[in-house]
Amino acid sequence: MNLQGKVAIVTGSGRGLGLAYAQDLAAHGAKVVINDVDEATAASAVESITSAGGEAVALVGAVGSTETANALVAKAVDTWGRLDILVTNAGVLRDTVLWKMSDEDFDLVINVHLRGTFTCVRAAATHMREQGEGGRIITIGSPTGQFGNFGQTNYAAAKAGIVGMTRTWALELARAGITANSVIPVAATSMTESVPFLKEYTDALAAGDPLPPFARKELGFGTPQDVAGLVTFLASDEAAEITGQAIGIGGDRLALYSHPTMIVTEIADNGWTAESIAAVWADKFAADQQSVGEKIPAPPSA
């Protein structure tokens, strides 16, 4: 995976998953624009790359606004003369149940995740099209956006929306040779520290202990570094024919998500009434109703 001569922007890359993506891209030869809201954190991330022989610069700012998106693209182009890869990783959580979620909780998460992805991709894609050499758009989704999750109305909406936008961009950018894919990561980060069923494993990693096979294989849960290889692969020439996909990764597990599809269909001459739907539902549809939420396997008994 030789990314020599390529320039990447990774939003939210001061720590956690974003930093792992940036470091792995740099290790494969890409020059990287680091982005974080904290100046010291961004500087530390740049140092981690340059001290290892890579090239990186930082732009401090919160994603969401067009101004930040344009500034990120300008930073890449002004520093290295081009832009080839965008990874939209920046995110924030404000978890609470529907009836307790404030407008501010909802709007902040939507602005950072959904609008921030949109504005950054718009700015990057505009430059990539003008540059005329193709490019790679890599957005970051979540299992919550695929399945839903209790207490995450705002986050689920944003992450589902990101995948929907990415599939649309794959269509719109194809003629320009720009691919667009979503990565669905599962890893130990500040965002997963509060998940009860993962606490045993996040504590183990914090203590420097290895994860058991159940966590890495059945749960697909690991470190940020376990996820980074997929981002680098999608950024490379090896992935030139891959676009419009949602790809999950975590621990030892790599997975391709299906696109939504109709799984049961019935035809009624002259259309459907409420009564005719009720008459056919139990016999034709009920058995195939889709579950809600991700089904987590039970850990092995001691």
Side-chain angles (χ1 to χ4, degrees), residues 31-54:
K31 302 173 178 67
V32 183
V33 177
I34 295 290
N35 162 251
D36 197 89
V37 295
D38 181 77
E39 186 173 358
T41 300
S44 176
V46 169
E47 170 62 19
S48 74
I49 290 172
T50 57
S51 64

Side-chain angles (χ1 to χ4, degrees), residues 55-243:
E55 294 187 53
V57 295
L59 187 134
V60 177
V63 303
S65 70
T66 295
E67 290 74 18
T68 298
N70 290 342
L72 283 164
V73 172
K75 187 73 170 181
V77 175
D78 292 347
T79 305
W80 293 300
R82 61 184 300 110
L83 175 62
D84 305 280
I85 302 155
L86 171 67
V87 184
T88 58
N89 172 76
V92 63
L93 290 179
R94 291 294 186 273
D95 293 355
T96 190
V97 291
L98 170 63
W99 51 94
K100 293 183 179 180
M101 184 170 289
S102 67
D103 291 354
E104 292 76 16
D105 289 337
F106 185 85
D107 290 345
L108 175 63
V109 172
I110 293 299
N111 184 64
V112 174
H113 286 278
L114 191 63
R115 191 172 193 273
T117 295
F118 161 69
T119 56
C120 288
V121 172
R122 181 178 60 185
T126 298
H127 181 80
M128 289 174 182
R129 291 180 75 249
E130 293 171 352
Q131 191 169 273
E133 299 176 34
R136 301 286 183 269
I137 302 297
I138 303 166
T139 65
I140 306 300
S142 167
T144 294
Q146 302 293 307
F147 302 107
N149 192 36
F150 190 95
Q152 291 193 310
T153 292
N154 44 12
Y155 188 65
K159 289 304 191 181
I162 286 170
V163 174
M165 291 193 302
T166 301
R167 289 175 175 146
T168 299
W169 297 331
L171 297 170
E172 295 177 345
L173 297 173
R175 290 186 62 184
I178 302 168
T179 64
N181 293 286
S182 288
V183 170
I184 314 296
V186 181
T189 69
S190 59
M191 286 190 174
T192 57
E193 287 176 354
S194 61
V195 179
F197 77 88
L198 293 176
K199 187 177 188 309
E200 172 186 352
Y201 309 117
T202 55
D203 288 349
L205 288 172
D209 297 329
L211 289 176
F214 171 77
R216 292 189 59 85
K217 300 180 188 304
E218 298 302 317
L219 297 180
F221 182 74
T223 67
Q225 289 71 28
D226 291 321
V227 177
L230 175 58
V231 170
T232 296
F233 166 68
L234 290 173
S236 75
D237 291 343
E238 296 291 329
E241 304 303 319
I242 302 171
T243 195

